[in-house]
């Protein structure tokens, strides 16, 4: 490489290091794993999932509290008339009952009364409905937990993709930066040759066009980097100006052949479907048990006072404020709605279809994960061969560019040949980034399918 080009690259590298130092002074370098942890700590969707899970767990206590005995205590003091009349009726909650003797006429005399009541009813046996409900609640909690795990899994994928987007944009930006430096070096050389009358002015015009195109490509890549930084800042909850990722990359592990593996049963994408199958099956038992009889214990005690004597004569109003009679009642009640058996049969049949639907979705998810793993393993073999060829291809393109530049300086090559060599070198460098990107994408796809990210993280650890 000519001395001018080397100096130009040194200055660009120096300014790049200064820029990185300034960024590092105001922001901590963000690794892939720390970006994931930051997203897990603050991202709203995970907070919503956690709240929903806690609500499901709290509902279990609500259901248990609903099974406690109903104990009611009541007391009332009344003053009113007491004109009784024989006959039956449906009160419908609109007619206030009156307890008093039958009289030949309607009287306006007042009678007082005092009633105290305590009652309790407790459903003590229902042929396993409580147990079925508990199992359904546990299944709902399991679905909620699996949903949270899946949300974390999917958020991890989003953060990794965004991080890799920024990572590869940084790599591409560096290539555009080097290309801009090379084009500027060639432009300066050609400018000197044209001014000295050694080369025609057309070469200088072509060199200026190439420089402008290289600068535009560099600026476009800067825009792409800014976009990726904004996306990563949104996911991690950090200001954009503090987003500075770790550019460490270990390419050697990509060249090591990977062992064939299968998707693990506890995969987050499968666990949710498995819990849904369990939950839908648990609901069948709950539906069946809900139609069975319910056995309850009943108890009641009450006391009553009245200002009417045994002959139904009106006495002093104050005499009815005490209690003169007490009663209690104990009982066992069995309740069943015969039509519930038919309703339960229909609901059970409907629920069986939902169980089959959940099982089919689980089978589809298993097939998709296994298919993704198989594709990744198959393509990795080809991409690893391409990775092994990259050093030779880049070195050959670099040698071709240096030779064309030397020949051009000696008047043995045209500007078009030099431009072709420069374009070839830049294209090869970009293809190298694309090949590495493809290899990392396949390793990422494999990590997703196996739910094993530690090996993938190792590619970006120091």
């Amino acid at each position: 490489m000519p001395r001018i080009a080397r100096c130009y690259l040194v200055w660009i590298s120096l300014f790049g290091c200064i820029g990185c130092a300034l960024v590092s002074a105001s922001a901590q370098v963000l690794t892939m794993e720390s970006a994931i942890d930051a997203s897990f700590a603050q991202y709203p969707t995970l907070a919503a999932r956690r709240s929903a899970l806690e609500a499901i767990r709290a509902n279990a206590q609500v259901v248990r509290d609903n099974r406690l005995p109903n104990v009611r205590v009541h007391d009332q003091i009344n003053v009113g008339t007491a004109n009784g009349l024989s006959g039956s009726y449906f009160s419908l909650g609109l007619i206030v009952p009156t307890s008093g003797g039958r009289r030949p006429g309607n009287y306006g005399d007042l009678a007082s009364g005092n009633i105290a009541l305590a009652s309790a009813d407790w459903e003590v046996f229902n042929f396993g409905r409580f147990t079925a409900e508990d199992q359904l609640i546990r299944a709902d909690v399991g679905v909620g937990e699996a949903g949270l795990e899946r949300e974390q899994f999917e958020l991890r994928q989003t953060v990794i993709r965004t991080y890799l987007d920024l990572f590869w944009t940084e790599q591409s930006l560096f290539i555009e930066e080097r290309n801009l430096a090379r084009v500027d070096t060639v432009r300066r050389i050609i400018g000197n040759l044209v001014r000295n009358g050694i080369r025609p002015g057309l070469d200088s015009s072509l060199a200026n066009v190439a420089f402008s195109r290289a600068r535009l490509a560099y600026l476009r890549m800067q825009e792409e980097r800014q976009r990726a930084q904004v996306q990563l800042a949104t996911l991690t909850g950090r200001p954009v100006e503090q987003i500075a990722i770790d550019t460490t990359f270990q390419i050697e592990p990509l060249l090591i052949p990977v062992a064939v593996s299968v998707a693990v049963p506890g995969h987050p994408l499968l666990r949710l479907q498995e819990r849904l199958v369990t939950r839908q099956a648990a609901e069948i038992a709950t539906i069946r048990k809900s139609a069975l009889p319910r056995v309850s214990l009943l108890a009641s005690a009450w006391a009553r006072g009245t200002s009417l004597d045994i002959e139904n004569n009106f006495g002093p109003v104050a005499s009815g404020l005490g209690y003169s009679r007490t009663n209690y009642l104990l009982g066992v009640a069995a309740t069943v709605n015969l039509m519930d058996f038919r309703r339960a049969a229909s609901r059970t049949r409907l629920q069986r279809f939902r169980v089959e639907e959940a099982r089919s979705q689980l089978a589809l998810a298993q097939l998709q994960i296994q298919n993704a793993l198989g594709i990744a393993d198959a393509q990795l073999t080809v991409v690893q061969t391409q990775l092994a060829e990259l050093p030779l291809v880049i070195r050959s393109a670099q040698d071709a560019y240096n030779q064309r530049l030397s020949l051009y300086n000696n008047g043995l090559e045209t500007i078009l040949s030099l431009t072709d060599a420069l374009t070839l070198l830049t294209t090869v460098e970009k293809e190298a980034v694309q090949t590495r990107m493809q290899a990392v994408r396949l390793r990422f796809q494999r990590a997703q399918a196996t739910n094993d990210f530690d090996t993938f993280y190792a590619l970006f650890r120091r």
Side-chain angles (χ1 to χ4, degrees):
M1 181 182 294
R3 182 179 179 183
I4 297 178
R6 288 198 299 270
C7 292
Y8 196 85
L9 286 175
V10 168
W11 278 107
I12 287 181
S13 300
L14 179 60
F15 283 121
C17 292
I18 294 174
C20 291
L22 291 175
V23 171
S24 299
S26 60
Q28 182 180 3
V29 174
L30 191 65
T31 65
M32 181 180 293
E33 293 170 82
S34 62
I36 293 172
D37 292 338
S39 298
F40 282 0
Q42 66 85 35
Y43 207 64
T45 57
L46 283 186
R49 280 285 186 178
R50 293 189 186 101
S51 299
L53 178 57
E54 291 304 318
I56 295 174
R57 289 170 175 163
N59 184 58
Q61 186 61 45
V62 172
V63 172
R64 286 192 290 268
D65 291 343
N66 288 337
R67 298 170 185 170
L68 295 175
N70 296 316
V71 180
R72 303 177 181 88
V73 179
H74 176 75
D75 185 89
Q76 59 177 273
I77 297 176
N78 304 303
V79 176
T81 60
N83 293 299
L85 192 64
S86 299
S88 300
Y89 56 87
F90 291 101
S91 71
L92 299 178
L94 303 176
I95 300 175
V96 179
T98 299
S99 178
R102 292 178 294 168
R103 304 177 188 279
N106 195 59
Y107 292 87
D109 297 340
L110 297 178
S112 64
N114 188 5
I115 298 177
L117 172 68
S119 65
D121 61 272
W122 186 16
E123 187 175 329
V124 294
F125 185 69
N126 48 33
F127 298 92
R129 181 170 61 87
F130 286 164
T131 302
E133 288 177 347
D134 290 338
Q135 292 175 347
L136 182 60
I137 291 173
R138 287 194 293 270
D140 285 334
V141 172
V143 171
E145 291 173 344
L148 177 60
E149 291 180 14
R150 178 170 182 169
E151 191 72 30
Q152 289 178 327
F153 183 85
E154 292 177 346
L155 180 59
R156 179 189 289 113
Q157 314 319 307
T158 303
V159 174
I160 291 177
R161 291 190 187 97
T162 306
Y163 189 96
L164 290 177
D165 190 14
L166 180 56
F167 179 85
W168 295 121
T169 301
E170 294 277 5
Q171 301 295 313
S172 299
L173 183 63
F174 181 65
I175 290 176
E176 296 295 348
E177 189 177 56
R178 286 192 301 181
N179 181 57
L180 181 61
R182 287 192 293 257
V183 172
D184 187 55
T185 300
V186 172
R187 182 175 67 94
R188 292 173 183 272
I189 293 174
I190 293 175
N192 290 331
L193 294 176
V194 170
R195 282 192 295 272
N196 293 326
I198 301 175
R199 287 290 183 178
L202 178 61
D203 287 7
S204 178
S205 299
L206 293 175
N208 289 331
V209 171
F211 178 76
S212 297
R213 293 181 61 187
R215 181 170 175 78
L216 288 174
Y218 176 75
L219 293 175
R220 281 194 295 267
M221 196 54 61
Q222 278 190 324
E223 181 184 356
E224 287 294 316
R225 180 179 64 177
Q226 184 67 20
R227 177 191 58 79
Q229 284 179 326
V230 171
Q231 290 181 345
L232 189 59
T234 302
L235 290 171
T236 57
R238 296 189 177 189
V240 178
E241 58 272 11
Q242 293 185 8
I243 297 297
I245 65 171
D246 189 354
T247 56
T248 301
F249 180 59
Q250 307 291 342
I251 195 173
E252 291 79 11
L254 291 176
L255 301 175
I256 301 175
V258 293
V260 178
S261 60
V262 295
V264 294
H267 196 286
L269 297 180
L270 299 180
R271 187 179 293 114
L272 178 60
Q273 299 297 332
E274 292 169 353
R275 297 287 175 84
L276 284 174
V277 171
T278 303
R279 194 266 174 206
Q280 300 289 31
E283 190 167 351
I284 292 179
T286 304
I287 293 172
R288 288 174 174 171
K289 299 292 184 181
S290 65
L292 298 179
R294 305 177 185 185
V295 178
S296 302
L297 292 180
L298 306 175
S300 180
W302 65 97
R304 185 175 182 182
T306 179
S307 63
L308 296 173
D309 61 17
I310 59 175
E311 301 295 334
N312 282 314
N313 297 315
F314 292 91
V317 174
S319 65
L321 302 181
Y323 302 114
S324 59
R325 296 290 185 272
T326 59
N327 294 282
Y328 66 88
L329 184 66
L330 300 175
V332 177
T335 305
V336 61
N337 186 338
L338 298 179
M339 291 297 100
D340 281 348
F341 290 104
R342 180 181 178 88
R343 297 186 184 101
S346 299
R347 292 175 60 195
T348 300
R349 182 171 177 270
L350 172 63
Q351 193 62 26
R352 286 199 186 100
F353 288 112
R354 290 175 177 169
V355 171
E356 291 302 319
E357 178 188 8
R359 286 174 177 167
S360 299
Q361 291 175 344
L362 173 60
L364 176 61
Q366 291 172 331
L367 182 63
Q368 290 174 338
I369 291 176
Q370 193 61 47
N371 183 57
L373 181 59
I375 292 175
D377 287 342
Q379 292 182 347
L380 269 174
T381 304
V382 179
V383 175
Q384 285 174 340
T385 304
Q386 297 174 355
L387 288 174
E389 294 291 331
L390 286 181
L392 176 61
V393 175
I394 294 175
R395 187 167 56 251
S396 299
Q398 181 68 54
D399 292 342
Y401 166 70
N402 292 334
Q403 291 172 8
R404 289 288 178 88
L405 182 59
S406 177
L407 292 173
Y408 180 83
N409 289 334
N410 293 321
L412 300 178
E413 280 287 2
T414 64
I415 182 63
L416 295 179
S417 298
L418 178 60
T419 303
D420 289 342
L422 182 58
T423 302
L424 177 62
L425 175 57
T426 304
T427 301
V428 168
E429 289 176 340
K430 291 181 180 180
E431 288 177 351
V433 172
Q434 291 294 327
T435 303
R436 292 173 186 142
M437 187 188 307
Q438 175 71 359
V440 171
R441 185 189 66 79
L442 292 173
R443 290 295 291 269
F444 177 45
Q445 182 174 326
R446 196 172 188 277
Q448 287 177 296
T450 59
N451 195 30
D452 180 13
F453 290 90
D454 191 65
T455 304
F456 178 76
Y457 293 151
L459 298 174
F460 301 92
R461 291 172 181 164
R462 293 185 182 275

